[in-house]
Coordinates of all heavy atoms in Angstrom, one line a residue:
D1 N -44.8 -75.9 148.4 CA -43.5 -75.8 147.6 C -43.9 -75.2 146.3 O -44.7 -75.7 145.5 CB -43.1 -77.2 147.4 CG -41.7 -77.3 146.7 OD1 -41.5 -76.5 145.8 OD2 -40.9 -78.2 147.1
A2 N -43.2 -74.1 146.0 CA -43.4 -73.4 144.7 C -43.2 -74.3 143.5 O -43.8 -74.1 142.5 CB -42.5 -72.2 144.6
A3 N -42.2 -75.2 143.6 CA -41.9 -76.0 142.4 C -43.1 -76.9 142.0 O -43.4 -77.1 140.9 CB -40.7 -76.9 142.6
I4 N -43.8 -77.3 143.1 CA -45.0 -78.2 142.8 C -46.1 -77.5 142.2 O -46.8 -77.9 141.3 CB -45.4 -78.9 144.1 CG1 -44.3 -79.9 144.5 CG2 -46.8 -79.6 143.9 CD1 -44.6 -80.5 145.9
D5 N -46.3 -76.2 142.6 CA -47.4 -75.4 142.1 C -47.0 -74.7 140.8 O -47.9 -74.1 140.2 CB -47.6 -74.3 143.1 CG -48.2 -74.9 144.4 OD1 -48.8 -76.0 144.4 OD2 -48.0 -74.3 145.5
A6 N -45.7 -74.7 140.3 CA -45.3 -74.0 139.2 C -46.0 -74.7 137.9 O -46.1 -75.9 137.8 CB -43.9 -74.0 139.0
P7 N -46.5 -73.8 136.9 CA -47.1 -74.4 135.8 C -46.0 -75.1 135.0 O -44.9 -74.8 135.1 CB -47.7 -73.2 135.0 CG -46.9 -72.0 135.5 CD -46.5 -72.4 137.0
P8 N -46.4 -76.0 134.1 CA -45.4 -76.6 133.2 C -44.8 -75.6 132.3 O -45.3 -74.6 132.0 CB -46.2 -77.7 132.4 CG -47.6 -77.3 132.5 CD -47.7 -76.5 133.8
A9 N -43.5 -75.8 131.9 CA -42.8 -74.8 131.0 C -43.6 -74.6 129.8 O -44.1 -75.6 129.2 CB -41.4 -75.3 130.7
A10 N -43.8 -73.3 129.4 CA -44.5 -73.1 128.2 C -43.6 -73.3 126.9 O -42.5 -72.8 126.9 CB -45.0 -71.6 128.2
T11 N -44.1 -74.1 126.0 CA -43.3 -74.4 124.8 C -44.0 -74.3 123.5 O -45.3 -74.1 123.5 CB -42.8 -75.9 124.9 OG1 -44.0 -76.8 124.9 CG2 -42.0 -76.2 126.1
C12 N -43.3 -74.1 122.4 CA -43.9 -74.0 121.1 C -43.2 -75.2 120.3 O -42.0 -75.3 120.3 CB -43.5 -72.7 120.4 SG -44.0 -71.2 121.3
D13 N -44.0 -75.9 119.5 CA -43.5 -76.8 118.5 C -43.4 -76.1 117.2 O -44.5 -75.7 116.7 CB -44.4 -78.1 118.4 CG -44.3 -79.0 119.7 OD1 -43.2 -78.9 120.3 OD2 -45.2 -79.7 120.0
H14 N -42.2 -75.9 116.6 CA -42.1 -75.2 115.4 C -41.6 -76.1 114.3 O -40.6 -76.8 114.4 CB -41.1 -74.0 115.6 CG -41.0 -73.1 114.4 ND1 -42.0 -72.3 114.0 CD2 -40.1 -73.0 113.5 CE1 -41.7 -71.7 112.9 NE2 -40.5 -72.0 112.6
A15 N -42.3 -76.1 113.2 CA -42.0 -76.9 112.1 C -41.1 -76.1 111.1 O -41.4 -74.9 110.8 CB -43.2 -77.4 111.3
F16 N -40.0 -76.7 110.7 CA -39.1 -76.1 109.8 C -39.2 -76.9 108.4 O -39.3 -78.1 108.5 CB -37.6 -76.1 110.3 CG -37.4 -75.3 111.5 CD1 -37.5 -75.8 112.7 CD2 -37.0 -73.9 111.4 CE1 -37.3 -75.2 113.9 CE2 -36.8 -73.2 112.6 CZ -36.9 -73.8 113.8
R17 N -39.0 -76.2 107.3 CA -39.1 -76.8 106.0 C -38.1 -76.2 105.1 O -37.9 -74.9 105.1 CB -40.5 -76.7 105.4 CG -40.7 -77.2 104.0 CD -42.1 -77.1 103.5 NE -42.2 -77.5 102.1 CZ -42.8 -78.8 101.8 NH1 -43.2 -79.5 102.8 NH2 -42.8 -79.1 100.6
L18 N -37.4 -77.0 104.3 CA -36.4 -76.5 103.3 C -36.7 -77.2 102.1 O -36.6 -78.4 101.8 CB -35.0 -76.8 103.8 CG -33.8 -76.3 102.9 CD1 -33.9 -74.8 102.8 CD2 -32.5 -76.9 103.3
D19 N -37.1 -76.3 101.1 CA -37.3 -76.8 99.7 C -36.1 -76.6 98.8 O -35.3 -75.6 99.1 CB -38.5 -76.1 99.1 CG -39.8 -76.6 99.7 OD1 -40.2 -77.7 99.6 OD2 -40.5 -75.8 100.4
G20 N -36.0 -77.2 97.7 CA -35.0 -76.9 96.7 C -33.6 -77.6 97.0 O -32.7 -77.3 96.3
H21 N -33.5 -78.4 97.9 CA -32.3 -79.1 98.3 C -32.5 -80.6 98.3 O -31.9 -81.4 99.1 CB -31.8 -78.6 99.6 CG -31.3 -77.2 99.6 ND1 -30.1 -76.8 99.3 CD2 -32.0 -76.1 99.8 CE1 -30.0 -75.4 99.3 NE2 -31.2 -75.0 99.6
G22 N -33.4 -81.2 97.4 CA -33.7 -82.6 97.4 C -32.5 -83.5 97.1 O -32.6 -84.7 97.5
T23 N -31.5 -82.9 96.5 CA -30.3 -83.8 96.3 C -29.2 -83.8 97.4 O -28.2 -84.5 97.4 CB -29.6 -83.3 95.0 OG1 -29.2 -81.9 95.1 CG2 -30.5 -83.4 93.8
A24 N -29.5 -83.0 98.5 CA -28.6 -82.9 99.6 C -28.6 -84.3 100.3 O -29.6 -85.0 100.2 CB -29.0 -81.9 100.6
T25 N -27.5 -84.6 100.9 CA -27.4 -85.9 101.6 C -27.7 -85.7 103.1 O -28.1 -86.7 103.8 CB -26.0 -86.5 101.5 OG1 -25.0 -85.6 102.1 CG2 -25.7 -86.8 100.1
Q26 N -27.6 -84.5 103.7 CA -27.9 -84.2 105.1 C -28.3 -82.7 105.3 O -27.7 -81.8 104.8 CB -26.7 -84.5 106.0 CG -27.0 -84.3 107.4 CD -25.7 -84.6 108.3 OE1 -24.8 -83.9 108.1 NE2 -25.8 -85.6 109.1
V27 N -29.4 -82.5 106.1 CA -29.8 -81.2 106.5 C -30.0 -81.2 108.0 O -30.6 -82.1 108.5 CB -31.1 -80.7 105.7 CG1 -31.5 -79.3 106.3 CG2 -30.9 -80.7 104.2
L28 N -29.4 -80.2 108.6 CA -29.4 -80.2 110.1 C -29.9 -78.8 110.6 O -29.7 -77.8 109.9 CB -28.0 -80.4 110.7 CG -27.3 -81.7 110.4 CD1 -25.8 -81.7 110.8 CD2 -28.0 -82.8 111.0
L29 N -30.5 -78.7 111.7 CA -31.0 -77.5 112.4 C -30.0 -77.3 113.5 O -29.8 -78.2 114.4 CB -32.3 -77.7 112.9 CG -32.9 -76.6 113.8 CD1 -33.0 -75.2 113.1 CD2 -34.3 -76.9 114.3
T30 N -29.4 -76.1 113.6 CA -28.5 -75.8 114.6 C -28.8 -74.3 115.0 O -29.5 -73.6 114.4 CB -27.0 -75.9 114.2 OG1 -26.2 -75.7 115.4 CG2 -26.6 -74.8 113.2
G31 N -28.3 -74.0 116.2 CA -28.5 -72.6 116.8 C -28.1 -72.5 118.2 O -27.5 -73.4 118.7
D32 N -28.4 -71.3 118.8 CA -28.0 -71.1 120.1 C -28.6 -72.1 121.1 O -28.1 -72.3 122.2 CB -28.2 -69.7 120.5 CG -29.6 -69.1 120.3 OD1 -30.5 -69.9 120.1 OD2 -29.7 -67.9 120.4
F33 N -29.8 -72.7 120.8 CA -30.5 -73.7 121.6 C -29.8 -75.0 121.7 O -30.1 -75.8 122.6 CB -32.0 -73.8 121.2 CG -32.1 -74.1 119.7 CD1 -32.1 -75.4 119.3 CD2 -32.1 -73.0 118.8 CE1 -32.3 -75.6 117.9 CE2 -32.3 -73.2 117.5 CZ -32.3 -74.5 117.1
V34 N -28.8 -75.2 120.8 CA -28.0 -76.4 120.9 C -26.5 -76.1 120.8 O -25.7 -76.9 120.4 CB -28.3 -77.4 119.7 CG1 -29.7 -78.0 119.9 CG2 -28.2 -76.9 118.4
Q35 N -26.2 -74.9 121.3 CA -24.8 -74.4 121.3 C -24.1 -74.5 120.0 O -23.0 -74.7 119.9 CB -24.0 -75.2 122.3 CG -24.3 -74.9 123.8 CD -25.7 -75.5 124.2 OE1 -25.9 -76.7 124.0 NE2 -26.6 -74.6 124.7
W36 N -24.9 -74.2 118.9 CA -24.4 -74.2 117.5 C -23.7 -75.5 117.1 O -22.7 -75.5 116.4 CB -23.5 -73.0 117.3 CG -24.3 -71.7 117.4 CD1 -24.4 -70.9 118.4 CD2 -25.2 -71.2 116.4 NE1 -25.2 -69.9 118.1 CE2 -25.7 -70.0 116.9 CE3 -25.5 -71.6 115.1 CZ2 -26.6 -69.2 116.2 CZ3 -26.4 -70.8 114.4 CH2 -27.0 -69.7 115.0
A37 N -24.2 -76.6 117.7 CA -23.7 -78.0 117.3 C -23.7 -78.1 115.8 O -24.7 -77.7 115.1 CB -24.4 -79.1 118.0
A38 N -22.6 -78.7 115.2 CA -22.6 -78.9 113.8 C -22.8 -80.4 113.4 O -22.9 -80.7 112.2 CB -21.1 -78.5 113.2
M39 N -23.0 -81.2 114.3 CA -23.2 -82.7 114.1 C -24.3 -83.3 115.0 O -24.4 -82.8 116.1 CB -21.9 -83.5 114.3 CG -20.7 -83.1 113.3 SD -21.1 -83.5 111.7 CE -21.1 -85.3 111.7
P40 N -25.0 -84.2 114.4 CA -26.0 -84.9 115.4 C -25.2 -85.6 116.4 O -24.0 -86.0 116.2 CB -26.7 -85.9 114.4 CG -26.3 -85.5 113.0 CD -25.1 -84.8 113.1
P41 N -25.8 -85.9 117.5 CA -27.2 -85.8 117.9 C -27.6 -84.4 118.4 O -28.8 -84.1 118.4 CB -27.5 -86.8 118.9 CG -26.2 -86.9 119.7 CD -25.2 -86.6 118.7
A42 N -26.6 -83.5 118.7 CA -27.0 -82.2 119.2 C -27.6 -81.4 118.1 O -28.6 -80.7 118.3 CB -25.7 -81.5 119.8
A43 N -27.0 -81.3 117.0 CA -27.7 -80.6 115.8 C -28.8 -81.6 115.4 O -28.7 -82.8 115.4 CB -26.7 -80.5 114.6
I44 N -29.9 -80.9 115.0 CA -31.2 -81.7 114.9 C -31.4 -82.0 113.4 O -31.4 -81.2 112.5 CB -32.4 -80.9 115.4 CG1 -32.1 -80.6 116.8 CG2 -33.6 -81.6 115.1 CD1 -32.8 -79.4 117.4
A45 N -31.4 -83.3 113.1 CA -31.4 -83.8 111.7 C -32.8 -83.6 111.1 O -33.9 -84.0 111.7 CB -31.1 -85.3 111.6
F46 N -32.9 -83.1 109.8 CA -34.2 -83.0 109.1 C -34.4 -84.4 108.4 O -33.5 -85.1 108.3 CB -34.0 -82.0 108.0 CG -34.2 -80.6 108.3 CD1 -33.3 -79.9 109.1 CD2 -35.2 -79.8 107.8 CE1 -33.4 -78.6 109.5 CE2 -35.3 -78.5 108.1 CZ -34.5 -77.9 108.9
T47 N -35.6 -84.6 108.0 CA -36.0 -85.8 107.3 C -36.4 -85.4 105.9 O -37.2 -84.4 105.7 CB -37.2 -86.5 108.0 OG1 -36.8 -86.9 109.3 CG2 -37.6 -87.8 107.2
L48 N -35.9 -86.1 104.9 CA -36.2 -85.8 103.5 C -37.6 -86.5 103.1 O -37.7 -87.8 103.3 CB -35.1 -86.4 102.6 CG -35.3 -86.1 101.1 CD1 -35.5 -84.7 100.7 CD2 -34.2 -86.8 100.3
G49 N -38.5 -85.7 102.7 CA -39.8 -86.3 102.4 C -39.8 -86.7 100.9 O -38.9 -86.4 100.1
T50 N -40.9 -87.4 100.6 CA -41.1 -87.9 99.2 C -41.3 -86.7 98.2 O -41.1 -86.9 97.0 CB -42.3 -88.8 99.1 OG1 -43.4 -88.2 99.6 CG2 -42.1 -90.1 99.9
D51 N -41.7 -85.6 98.7 CA -41.8 -84.4 97.9 C -40.5 -83.6 97.6 O -40.5 -82.6 97.0 CB -42.8 -83.4 98.5 CG -42.4 -82.9 99.8 OD1 -41.4 -83.3 100.4 OD2 -43.2 -82.1 100.4
G52 N -39.4 -84.1 98.2 CA -38.1 -83.5 98.0 C -37.8 -82.4 99.0 O -36.7 -81.8 98.9
A53 N -38.7 -82.2 100.0 CA -38.5 -81.2 100.9 C -38.0 -81.8 102.2 O -38.4 -82.9 102.5 CB -39.8 -80.5 101.2
W54 N -37.1 -81.1 102.9 CA -36.6 -81.5 104.2 C -37.4 -80.8 105.3 O -37.6 -79.7 105.2 CB -35.1 -81.0 104.3 CG -34.2 -81.8 103.4 CD1 -33.8 -81.4 102.1 CD2 -33.3 -82.9 103.7 NE1 -32.9 -82.3 101.6 CE2 -32.6 -83.3 102.6 CE3 -33.3 -83.8 104.8 CZ2 -31.7 -84.3 102.4 CZ3 -32.4 -84.8 104.8 CH2 -31.7 -85.1 103.6
T55 N -37.8 -81.6 106.3 CA -38.6 -81.1 107.3 C -38.1 -81.6 108.7 O -37.7 -82.7 108.8 CB -40.1 -81.5 107.1 OG1 -40.2 -82.8 107.1 CG2 -40.7 -80.8 105.9
V56 N -38.4 -80.8 109.7 CA -38.2 -81.2 111.1 C -39.1 -80.3 112.0 O -39.3 -79.2 111.7 CB -36.7 -81.1 111.5 CG1 -36.3 -79.7 111.6 CG2 -36.5 -81.8 112.8
T57 N -39.5 -80.8 113.1 CA -40.2 -80.1 114.2 C -39.4 -80.1 115.4 O -39.0 -81.1 115.8 CB -41.6 -80.6 114.3 OG1 -42.3 -80.6 113.1 CG2 -42.4 -79.8 115.4
H58 N -39.2 -78.9 116.1 CA -38.5 -78.9 117.3 C -39.3 -78.1 118.3 O -40.0 -77.1 118.0 CB -37.1 -78.1 117.0 CG -36.3 -78.2 118.3 ND1 -35.8 -79.2 118.8 CD2 -35.9 -77.0 119.0 CE1 -35.0 -78.9 119.9 NE2 -35.1 -77.6 120.1
S59 N -39.3 -78.6 119.5 CA -40.0 -77.9 120.7 C -39.0 -76.9 121.3 O -37.9 -77.2 121.7 CB -40.4 -79.0 121.6 OG -41.2 -78.4 122.6
F60 N -39.5 -75.6 121.4 CA -38.7 -74.6 122.0 C -39.5 -74.1 123.3 O -40.7 -74.0 123.3 CB -38.7 -73.4 121.1 CG -37.8 -73.7 119.8 CD1 -38.4 -74.1 118.7 CD2 -36.5 -73.3 119.9 CE1 -37.7 -74.3 117.5 CE2 -35.7 -73.5 118.7 CZ -36.3 -74.0 117.6
E61 N -38.7 -73.8 124.3 CA -39.3 -73.1 125.4 C -39.5 -71.6 125.1 O -38.9 -71.1 124.1 CB -38.4 -73.2 126.7 CG -38.3 -74.6 127.2 CD -37.5 -74.7 128.5 OE1 -37.2 -73.7 129.1 OE2 -37.3 -75.8 129.0
Q62 N -40.3 -71.0 125.8 CA -40.6 -69.5 125.5 C -39.2 -68.7 125.5 O -38.4 -68.9 126.3 CB -41.5 -69.0 126.6 CG -41.9 -67.5 126.3 CD -43.0 -67.0 127.3 OE1 -43.6 -67.8 127.9 NE2 -43.1 -65.7 127.4
G63 N -39.2 -67.9 124.4 CA -38.0 -67.1 124.2 C -37.6 -66.9 122.7 O -38.4 -67.3 121.8
T64 N -36.5 -66.2 122.5 CA -36.0 -65.9 121.1 C -34.8 -66.7 120.9 O -33.9 -66.6 121.7 CB -35.9 -64.4 121.0 OG1 -37.2 -63.8 121.2 CG2 -35.4 -64.1 119.6
Y65 N -34.6 -67.2 119.7 CA -33.5 -68.1 119.4 C -33.0 -67.7 118.0 O -33.7 -67.3 117.1 CB -34.0 -69.6 119.3 CG -34.6 -70.0 120.6 CD1 -35.9 -70.0 120.8 CD2 -33.7 -70.6 121.6 CE1 -36.5 -70.4 122.1 CE2 -34.2 -71.0 122.9 CZ -35.6 -70.9 123.1 OH -36.1 -71.3 124.3
Q66 N -31.6 -67.9 117.9 CA -31.0 -67.7 116.6 C -30.7 -69.1 116.0 O -30.3 -70.0 116.8 CB -29.7 -66.9 116.8 CG -29.9 -65.5 117.2 CD -28.6 -64.6 117.3 OE1 -27.7 -64.8 116.5 NE2 -28.6 -63.8 118.2
Y67 N -30.8 -69.3 114.8 CA -30.6 -70.6 114.1 C -30.1 -70.5 112.7 O -30.3 -69.4 112.1 CB -31.8 -71.5 114.3 CG -32.9 -71.0 113.5 CD1 -33.2 -71.6 112.2 CD2 -33.8 -70.0 113.8 CE1 -34.2 -71.2 111.4 CE2 -34.8 -69.6 113.0 CZ -35.0 -70.2 111.7 OH -36.1 -69.9 110.9
K68 N -29.6 -71.6 112.2 CA -29.4 -71.8 110.8 C -29.6 -73.2 110.5 O -29.7 -74.1 111.3 CB -27.9 -71.4 110.4 CG -27.6 -69.9 110.3 CD -26.2 -69.6 109.8 CE -26.2 -68.2 109.4 NZ -24.8 -67.7 109.1
F69 N -29.7 -73.4 109.1 CA -29.7 -74.8 108.5 C -28.3 -75.1 108.1 O -27.5 -74.2 107.7 CB -30.6 -75.0 107.4 CG -32.1 -74.6 107.7 CD1 -32.9 -74.3 106.6 CD2 -32.6 -74.7 109.0 CE1 -34.3 -74.0 106.9 CE2 -33.9 -74.4 109.2 CZ -34.8 -74.0 108.2
I70 N -27.9 -76.4 108.2 CA -26.6 -76.8 107.7 C -26.9 -77.9 106.6 O -27.5 -79.0 106.9 CB -25.7 -77.5 108.8 CG1 -25.6 -76.6 110.0 CG2 -24.4 -77.9 108.1 CD1 -24.8 -77.3 111.1
V71 N -26.6 -77.5 105.3 CA -26.9 -78.3 104.2 C -25.6 -78.9 103.7 O -24.7 -78.2 103.2 CB -27.7 -77.5 103.1 CG1 -27.9 -78.5 101.9 CG2 -29.0 -76.9 103.6
D72 N -25.3 -80.2 103.9 CA -24.1 -80.8 103.5 C -22.9 -80.0 103.9 O -22.0 -79.8 103.2 CB -24.1 -81.0 102.0 CG -25.1 -82.2 101.6 OD1 -25.5 -83.0 102.4 OD2 -25.4 -82.3 100.4
G73 N -22.9 -79.5 105.2 CA -21.8 -78.8 105.8 C -21.7 -77.3 105.5 O -21.0 -76.6 106.1
T74 N -22.7 -76.8 104.7 CA -22.8 -75.4 104.4 C -23.9 -74.8 105.2 O -25.0 -75.2 105.2 CB -23.0 -75.1 102.9 OG1 -22.0 -75.7 102.2 CG2 -23.1 -73.6 102.6
Y75 N -23.6 -73.7 106.0 CA -24.6 -73.0 106.8 C -25.4 -72.0 105.9 O -24.8 -71.2 105.2 CB -23.9 -72.2 107.9 CG -23.3 -73.0 109.0 CD1 -22.1 -73.8 108.8 CD2 -23.9 -73.1 110.3 CE1 -21.6 -74.6 109.8 CE2 -23.4 -73.9 111.3 CZ -22.3 -74.6 111.0 OH -21.7 -75.4 112.0
I76 N -26.7 -72.1 106.0 CA -27.6 -71.2 105.2 C -28.6 -70.7 106.2 O -29.0 -71.3 107.2 CB -28.2 -71.9 104.0 CG1 -29.1 -72.9 104.4 CG2 -27.2 -72.4 103.0 CD1 -30.1 -73.4 103.3
L77 N -29.2 -69.5 105.8 CA -30.4 -68.9 106.4 C -31.5 -69.7 106.1 O -31.7 -70.4 105.1 CB -30.5 -67.5 106.1 CG -29.5 -66.5 106.5 CD1 -29.7 -65.2 105.8 CD2 -29.4 -66.4 108.0
D78 N -32.6 -69.7 106.9 CA -33.9 -70.2 106.6 C -34.5 -69.4 105.5 O -34.9 -68.2 105.8 CB -34.7 -70.3 107.9 CG -36.1 -70.9 107.7 OD1 -36.5 -71.1 106.6 OD2 -36.8 -71.1 108.7
P79 N -34.7 -69.9 104.3 CA -35.3 -69.1 103.2 C -36.7 -68.7 103.4 O -37.2 -67.8 102.8 CB -35.1 -70.0 101.9 CG -34.9 -71.4 102.5 CD -34.3 -71.3 103.9
T80 N -37.4 -69.4 104.4 CA -38.8 -69.0 104.6 C -39.0 -68.0 105.7 O -40.2 -67.6 106.0 CB -39.6 -70.3 104.9 OG1 -39.2 -70.8 106.2 CG2 -39.5 -71.4 103.8
N81 N -38.0 -67.6 106.3 CA -38.0 -66.6 107.5 C -37.2 -65.4 107.3 O -36.1 -65.4 107.1 CB -37.5 -67.5 108.7 CG -37.5 -66.6 110.0 OD1 -38.0 -65.4 110.0 ND2 -37.1 -67.1 111.1
Q82 N -38.0 -64.3 107.2 CA -37.4 -63.0 106.9 C -36.8 -62.4 108.1 O -36.1 -61.3 108.0 CB -38.3 -62.0 106.2 CG -38.9 -62.5 104.9 CD -37.9 -63.0 103.9 OE1 -37.0 -62.2 103.6 NE2 -38.0 -64.1 103.4
M83 N -37.0 -62.9 109.3 CA -36.5 -62.4 110.5 C -35.1 -62.8 110.7 O -34.8 -64.0 110.9 CB -37.3 -62.8 111.8 CG -38.8 -62.3 111.8 SD -38.8 -60.6 111.9 CE -38.2 -60.4 113.6
T84 N -34.1 -61.8 110.7 CA -32.7 -62.2 110.9 C -32.0 -61.2 111.8 O -32.6 -60.1 112.1 CB -32.0 -62.1 109.5 OG1 -32.1 -60.9 109.0 CG2 -32.6 -63.2 108.5
V85 N -30.8 -61.5 112.2 CA -30.1 -60.8 113.1 C -28.6 -60.9 112.8 O -28.1 -61.9 112.4 CB -30.4 -61.0 114.6 CG1 -29.9 -62.4 115.0 CG2 -29.7 -60.1 115.6
D86 N -27.9 -59.8 112.9 CA -26.4 -59.8 112.8 C -25.8 -60.5 114.0 O -26.2 -60.2 115.1 CB -25.9 -58.4 112.7 CG -24.4 -58.3 112.4 OD1 -23.6 -59.0 113.1 OD2 -24.0 -57.8 111.4
D87 N -25.0 -61.5 113.8 CA -24.4 -62.3 114.9 C -23.2 -61.6 115.6 O -22.7 -62.1 116.5 CB -24.0 -63.7 114.5 CG -22.8 -63.7 113.6 OD1 -22.2 -62.6 113.2 OD2 -22.4 -64.9 113.2
G88 N -22.9 -60.4 115.1 CA -21.7 -59.6 115.7 C -20.4 -60.1 115.2 O -19.4 -59.5 115.6
M89 N -20.3 -61.1 114.3 CA -19.1 -61.7 113.8 C -19.1 -61.6 112.2 O -18.4 -62.4 111.6 CB -18.8 -63.0 114.3 CG -18.6 -63.1 115.8 SD -18.4 -64.7 116.4 CE -20.0 -65.4 116.6
G90 N -20.0 -60.7 111.7 CA -19.9 -60.6 110.2 C -20.9 -61.6 109.5 O -20.9 -61.6 108.3
H91 N -21.7 -62.3 110.3 CA -22.7 -63.2 109.6 C -24.0 -62.9 110.1 O -24.3 -62.1 111.0 CB -22.3 -64.6 110.0 CG -21.0 -65.0 109.6 ND1 -19.9 -65.1 110.4 CD2 -20.5 -65.5 108.4 CE1 -18.8 -65.5 109.7 NE2 -19.1 -65.7 108.5
T92 N -25.1 -63.4 109.5 CA -26.4 -63.2 109.8 C -27.1 -64.5 110.2 O -26.8 -65.6 109.5 CB -27.2 -62.6 108.5 OG1 -26.5 -61.5 108.1 CG2 -28.6 -62.4 108.9
N93 N -27.9 -64.5 111.2 CA -28.7 -65.7 111.6 C -30.1 -65.5 111.5 O -30.6 -64.3 111.6 CB -28.3 -66.0 113.1 CG -26.9 -66.4 113.3 OD1 -26.3 -67.0 112.5 ND2 -26.4 -66.0 114.4
S94 N -30.8 -66.6 111.2 CA -32.3 -66.5 111.3 C -32.8 -66.5 112.7 O -32.0 -66.9 113.7 CB -32.9 -67.8 110.7 OG -32.6 -67.8 109.2
V95 N -33.9 -65.9 113.0 CA -34.4 -65.8 114.4 C -35.8 -66.3 114.4 O -36.7 -66.1 113.6 CB -34.5 -64.2 114.7 CG1 -35.1 -64.0 116.1 CG2 -33.1 -63.6 114.7
Y96 N -36.0 -67.1 115.5 CA -37.4 -67.6 115.9 C -37.7 -67.3 117.3 O -36.9 -67.4 118.2 CB -37.4 -69.1 115.7 CG -38.7 -69.7 116.2 CD1 -39.9 -69.5 115.5 CD2 -38.7 -70.5 117.4 CE1 -41.0 -70.0 116.1 CE2 -39.8 -71.0 117.8 CZ -41.0 -70.8 117.2 OH -42.2 -71.2 117.7
T97 N -39.0 -66.7 117.5 CA -39.3 -66.4 118.8 C -40.6 -67.3 119.2 O -41.6 -67.4 118.4 CB -39.7 -64.9 118.9 OG1 -38.6 -64.1 118.6 CG2 -40.2 -64.6 120.3
C98 N -40.6 -68.0 120.3 CA -41.7 -68.8 120.8 C -42.5 -67.9 121.7 O -42.0 -67.4 122.7 CB -41.1 -70.0 121.5 SG -42.3 -70.9 122.5
H99 N -43.7 -67.7 121.3 CA -44.7 -67.0 122.1 C -45.9 -68.0 122.5 O -46.9 -68.1 121.7 CB -45.3 -65.8 121.5 CG -44.4 -64.7 121.2 ND1 -43.8 -64.0 122.1 CD2 -44.0 -64.2 119.9 CE1 -43.0 -63.0 121.5 NE2 -43.1 -63.3 120.2
P100 N -45.8 -68.8 123.5 CA -46.8 -69.8 123.8 C -48.1 -69.2 124.1 O -48.2 -68.1 124.6 CB -46.3 -70.6 125.0 CG -44.9 -70.1 125.3 CD -44.7 -68.9 124.5

């Protein structure tokens, strides 16, 4: 049976970090991997650290994904990631590629 012999899905655990928003009440990770959900639990909640930075780690299957952060309801690009793409609707999204 091919399914039994198939290797486990290759994944990447990617850590996201957002500095400079320590006064925000909520930071979420959204993107095409969660159908651009705007609210938890589908949108992935960051945790505010004692250093004032918001962090979260998400596991991705191999592939390329578009995403944004939602800071108190405002969509922003990932300021630490220069890889972006036009979404075809007049906006820009950050891009993450998992290469296990």
Side-chain angles (χ1 to χ4, degrees):
D1 185 324
I4 293 171
D5 296 332
T11 61
C12 305
D13 288 334
H14 186 70
F16 296 91
R17 179 181 175 98
L18 181 63
D19 290 295
H21 293 271
T23 60
T25 57
Q26 182 183 59
V27 178
L28 302 170
L29 172 63
T30 191
D32 53 11
F33 49 93
V34 292
Q35 290 70 53
W36 293 100
M39 295 295 293
I44 301 154
F46 280 66
T47 301
L48 179 59
T50 56
D51 61 355
W54 292 88
T55 58
V56 68
T57 300
H58 184 68
S59 184
F60 293 89
E61 292 189 8
Q62 183 171 342
T64 299
Y65 301 91
Q66 295 184 34
Y67 70 96
K68 279 189 171 171
F69 299 160
I70 309 173
V71 181
D72 290 343
T74 301
Y75 289 73
I76 67 167
L77 293 171
D78 180 346
T80 67
N81 181 359
Q82 301 307 308
M83 295 294 297
T84 60
V85 64
D86 186 305
D87 70 357
M89 295 179 281
H91 300 97
T92 303
N93 295 327
S94 295
V95 176
Y96 171 68
T97 301
C98 168
H99 296 292

